[in-house]
Amino acid sequence: MNIWKKLRHSTQIVPFLEERENYCVSAISRFNSGTLKNVWAAFKPNTPQTPSINALLLYGKRLLFPVFHYSSEMVEEFKHNGMPIPFLLAFILKRDSLHAAQGLADDMDLLESALEKKNIVPVSRYDYELRSFDCTGGEPSPFGFGGLSGPGRPDITGLVIRRAEVSDIDALFPLQAAYEKEEVLPKGAELNPSSCRMILGSLIINKMILVAELEGRLVGKININAQSYNRFQIGGNYVAPEYRSHGIARAMTAALIREFSTQKNRFTLFVKKTNIPARKVYDNLGFTIIGDYRISYFS
């Protein structure tokens, strides 16, 4: 029987997360930044002296991350008996309503089943493909199938992809706002303009965002939105609707990988299963599917 215990020392937590890094870059990034300060571990005691962690629940700022992957014995126990929610976490969730949870789809199935018994039910769910790219196999081509121009496509040979600057923030805001509305915000949620600008400012100051510029106009953006021990997570890939299907998203992704591969040579992203054009872009660039991912919103 697994026993839940709240952990305070990262020396127990980090090795468990490192083994599962491919699948939980977002959780690791927030844990390392101090956002996820509440961590519970499920222990399967091997002996009284050497208990081992079988699962983690990380919580902070109304976000919950289950990290169970590869703990097959524990998963079977949870499937058979149901996953218990640690008492203290249940208490916190009652006081501080849960906004969202995210993780591998199998882990989320177990978590959501347990939360449902506490009358905590998501109002919306989004399913993604979790994808990975390893630069040790070579850099991605920015062109892929069909290049950046061709029959039926405008000539965009003048496209410039560069680091965003502080002076770009006003021109970038409409792209970031449209991206958040289209890809981030749950149904019914309203955009927070101040938060949107704050996110942009942080990305620019930390040199984590690239822009695509054509004839003096910003037509696309892409950024690093999380980093773990050996990986960057790509996010914010957005092209203005009138410039889509021209290869810009593919070119930006390739440029971002080239730009940041000197720091870390492994990249992760998740893409909505319903977003067929984006999935084709990542197919062409050589991203492989490593799992099913889900984000569920509760309020």
Side-chain angles (χ1 to χ4, degrees):
M1 178 68 67
N2 280 273
I3 302 170
W4 286 101
K5 179 181 178 182
K6 188 171 182 181
L7 298 183
R8 300 184 184 277
H9 303 292
S10 62
T11 52
Q12 294 175 288
I13 301 166
V14 170
F16 183 88
L17 291 175
E18 284 180 325
E19 289 183 19
R20 294 152 182 81
E21 181 179 7
N22 295 5
Y23 307 95
C24 57
V25 176
S26 293
I28 292 172
S29 183
R30 287 175 169 84
F31 172 72
N32 287 342
S33 69
T35 302
L36 304 177
K37 295 182 178 179
N38 295 286
V39 181
W40 289 265
F43 286 93
K44 180 72 174 181
N46 297 330
T47 69
Q49 290 76 29
T50 59
S52 60
I53 296 176
N54 266 345
L56 286 179
L57 285 170
L58 303 98
Y59 179 79
K61 294 192 174 180
R62 303 178 64 207
L63 297 175
L64 182 58
F65 291 82
V67 184
F68 308 156
H69 194 54
Y70 285 143
S71 302
S72 57
E73 185 179 348
M74 177 277 306
V75 167
E76 288 305 313
E77 178 189 321
F78 286 176
K79 284 182 177 179
H80 186 264
N81 299 322
M83 192 198 88
I85 295 290
F87 170 77
L88 184 57
L89 176 58
F91 177 74
I92 290 174
L93 293 178
K94 285 183 179 179
R95 296 181 58 193
D96 181 19
S97 59
L98 178 64
H99 172 60
Q102 64 174 279
L104 287 170
D106 288 344
D107 293 355
M108 288 293 292
D109 285 340
L110 292 168
L111 176 65
E112 288 182 25
S113 177
L115 289 173
E116 188 173 353
K117 294 178 181 178
K118 304 289 183 182
N119 297 316
I120 302 172
V121 180
V123 296
S124 58
R125 295 182 178 95
Y126 297 94
D127 290 313
Y128 301 82
E129 291 175 345
L130 184 63
R131 293 191 174 226
S132 175
F133 185 88
D134 188 343
C135 284
T136 58
E139 289 188 351
S141 166
F143 301 104
F145 178 77
L148 292 176
S149 60
R153 296 179 177 180
D155 182 4
I156 56 171
T157 54
L159 185 74
V160 174
I161 299 174
R162 60 172 174 82
R163 293 255 189 172
E165 301 173 355
V166 173
S167 58
D168 293 319
I169 194 164
D170 288 335
L172 259 175
F173 178 80
L175 293 175
Q176 180 68 22
Y179 166 74
E180 290 188 16
K181 290 177 182 178
E182 190 172 312
E183 295 292 336
V184 178
L185 296 176
K187 291 180 181 178
E190 294 186 3
L191 177 75
N192 183 328
S194 297
S195 174
C196 182
R197 289 185 72 90
M198 184 174 67
I199 290 170
L200 270 180
S202 176
L203 289 170
I204 293 171
I205 290 171
N206 290 298
K207 303 184 184 301
M208 290 292 178
I209 182 169
L210 303 184
V211 295
E213 186 175 22
L214 186 63
E215 297 179 346
R217 178 187 175 185
L218 299 188
V219 299
K221 59 167 285 290
I222 191 171
N223 56 265
I224 299 296
N225 64 8
Q227 57 182 304
S228 54
Y229 308 111
N230 301 293
R231 284 184 172 267
F232 279 125
Q233 182 169 285
I234 298 171
N237 196 344
Y238 185 83
V239 177
E242 62 270 34
Y243 289 92
R244 293 178 183 175
S245 301
H246 302 153
I248 296 175
R250 185 169 58 245
M252 289 195 304
T253 307
L256 188 79
I257 289 174
R258 287 197 302 273
E259 185 79 13
F260 286 90
S261 60
T262 56
Q263 299 177 47
K264 303 181 193 294
N265 59 17
R266 293 178 174 83
F267 294 83
T268 296
L269 58 81
F270 44 86
V271 55
K272 284 182 179 175
K273 291 188 175 184
T274 55
N275 193 341
I276 304 302
R279 288 168 60 190
K280 289 181 178 178
V281 167
Y282 301 128
D283 283 340
N284 290 338
L285 287 168
F287 279 81
T288 58
I289 301 171
I290 59 173
D292 293 324
Y293 200 84
R294 184 184 306 151
I295 301 178
S296 295
Y297 293 93
F298 294 83
S299 65

